[in-house]
Amino acid sequence: MWLSPGLLVAHVLLIIAGAWLLQRMLRKLILKAGAVYDLPRHLTSSSVGLTRWIITIAAVMLIMGRVGVSGTVLWTAFTSFAAVAAVAFFAAWSVLSNIFCALLIFTARPLRVGDYVEILDTAEKPGAKGEVIAISLLYVTLQDSQPGQAGALLQIPNALIFQRVVRRWTGGPPPNDGAIQG
């Protein structure tokens, strides 16, 4: 009978050690992938933080199960949280869409800082045009090159980059375009 509390402590310590080891291994893997694929630092650090939280929550749930908290209680709490999270997800859809598109911009690289781009409504109709000066989780910021608007900043939502036709010039302003000054 006296082994039972000792065995419980051993299980808890084993779960904590396993979670710590898994978190460290995944952190190294994420940071290495970020370096190999030249991902922005804030993207890799956010991924490391999200991974740490997921592993910590899983470890706490495993420990609670070992201590004697009912699986039914844990499942009810989890599904309740998931339902609230789903409602919050739909409420924040446009923000989450821009964040997801930012991940695509960072990985697929349809445009980069320093490129000159034009975001068109249709292939014939001119749109926002300028140099990409920043890419964040929500917006692509252009320095406007339209006549009379030189120097103005345009913030284009990331989701719009994937919904519109994008003309892109790399290595300098487009040829024969007097509006853009390098």
Side-chain angles (χ1 to χ4, degrees), residues 15 28 42 50 72 76 83 112 115 125 127 132 146 163 168 171:
I15 291 170
K28 286 182 181 180
H42 64 273
L50 178 65
T72 305
T76 302
R112 297 179 181 169
D115 287 350
K125 187 176 176 184
V132 178
Q146 299 296 336
Q163 296 171 358
R168 174 181 169 207

Side-chain angles (χ1 to χ4, degrees), residues 37-121:
Y37 293 108
D38 192 30
L39 299 175
R41 180 74 179 141
H42 64 273
L43 179 64
T44 55
S45 62
S46 297
S47 298
V48 166
L50 178 65
T51 303
R52 181 177 51 244
W53 275 104
I54 290 172
I55 292 170
T56 301
I57 290 169
V60 166
M61 292 185 76
L62 282 171
I63 290 170
M64 289 173 67
R66 294 304 300 157
V67 170
V69 176
S70 167
T72 305
V73 171
L74 290 175
W75 182 249
T76 302
F78 173 74
T79 55
S80 298
F81 175 76
V84 170
V87 170
F89 176 81
F90 286 113
W93 175 253
S94 66
V95 172
L96 294 173
S97 173
N98 284 320
I99 291 171
F100 178 71
C101 287
L103 296 175
L104 291 175
I105 290 171
F106 291 139
T107 55
R109 306 264 178 149
L111 50 87
R112 297 179 181 169
V113 173
D115 287 350
Y116 290 83
V117 297
E118 184 174 14
I119 313 296
L120 307 167
D121 285 333

Side-chain angles (χ1 to χ4, degrees), residues 98-178:
N98 284 320
I99 291 171
F100 178 71
C101 287
L103 296 175
L104 291 175
I105 290 171
F106 291 139
T107 55
R109 306 264 178 149
L111 50 87
R112 297 179 181 169
V113 173
D115 287 350
Y116 290 83
V117 297
E118 184 174 14
I119 313 296
L120 307 167
D121 285 333
T122 65
E124 298 85 32
K125 187 176 176 184
K129 188 176 192 178
E131 179 182 2
V132 178
I133 60 170
I135 301 172
S136 70
L137 288 177
L138 297 177
Y139 298 104
V140 171
T141 304
L142 303 179
Q143 184 156 11
D144 198 349
S145 66
Q146 299 296 336
Q149 303 295 325
L153 298 179
L154 301 171
Q155 290 187 310
I156 312 290
N158 289 334
L160 202 59
I161 300 297
F162 291 97
Q163 296 171 358
R164 300 285 190 255
V165 175
V166 177
R167 278 194 190 126
R168 174 181 169 207
W169 295 271
T170 58
N176 302 326
D177 189 354

